[in-house]
Amino acid sequence: MDALGSAAIIVVLIILYLGLGVWVFAGLMLVGMSGLLLINDMQLAQLGPILKGTMWKSASSWELAAIPMFVWMGELIIRTDLAERMFRGLEPWVDLLPGRLLHVNVVGCTLFAAVSGSSAATTATVGKITVAALIERGYDRRLALGLPAGAGSLA
């Protein structure tokens, strides 16, 4: 099969599985399995060892061990009042922009992501810091929850 036909099949499978409401990780796994079966004419018995090895390598990598440490670092930042100091320190930098606390959140996510290198740890840590501060200052709850998620994944 040519490359264009293979790409079309993969795009159709992605739209199909994700359109059915399957979780993203399960949908992408199903796309990979279906692609191997349809495009490469692989036998069903060969998928087990391939999946086992791939899933084990992904779940047992040392890179994942750093995420709880960065979340713990964020917990220490919250408990020691450094989070409020961070907000007060970053506010003058974005003072002239409307919605300055929202921009402080994005800048805080960027700085924490530069330190930690993990978007999951950034979202968990800065989200825990900023959601309470945003709600306390009168922002809508949906905005307060969505902003750290977007800024954390962007950072």
Side-chain angles (χ1 to χ4, degrees), residues 1-18:
M1 184 176 292
D2 64 327
L4 190 58
S6 299
I9 290 174
I10 296 298
V11 169
V12 167
L13 287 173
I14 288 174
I15 291 171
L16 174 77
Y17 287 131
L18 295 181

Side-chain angles (χ1 to χ4, degrees), residues 50-133:
I50 291 172
L51 276 175
K52 180 182 73 167
T54 305
M55 291 172 85
W56 177 255
K57 281 182 201 173
S58 298
S60 65
S61 67
W62 276 106
E63 290 83 15
L64 293 177
I67 293 175
M69 294 298 152
F70 287 120
V71 171
W72 183 48
M73 179 178 72
E75 195 66 34
L76 290 174
I77 289 172
I78 293 169
R79 305 273 181 204
T80 58
D81 195 35
L82 286 174
E84 190 61 37
R85 288 184 195 178
M86 180 187 76
F87 274 112
R88 283 194 311 250
L90 290 175
E91 275 181 337
W93 291 90
V94 293
D95 197 27
L96 298 176
L97 299 172
R100 71 172 170 238
L101 190 58
L102 304 176
H103 297 295
V104 167
N105 186 2
V106 174
V107 172
C109 278
T110 304
L111 292 175
F112 193 83
V115 171
S116 72
S118 168
S119 64
T122 300
T123 303
T125 303
V126 178
K128 190 168 185 178
I129 294 168
T130 59
V131 167

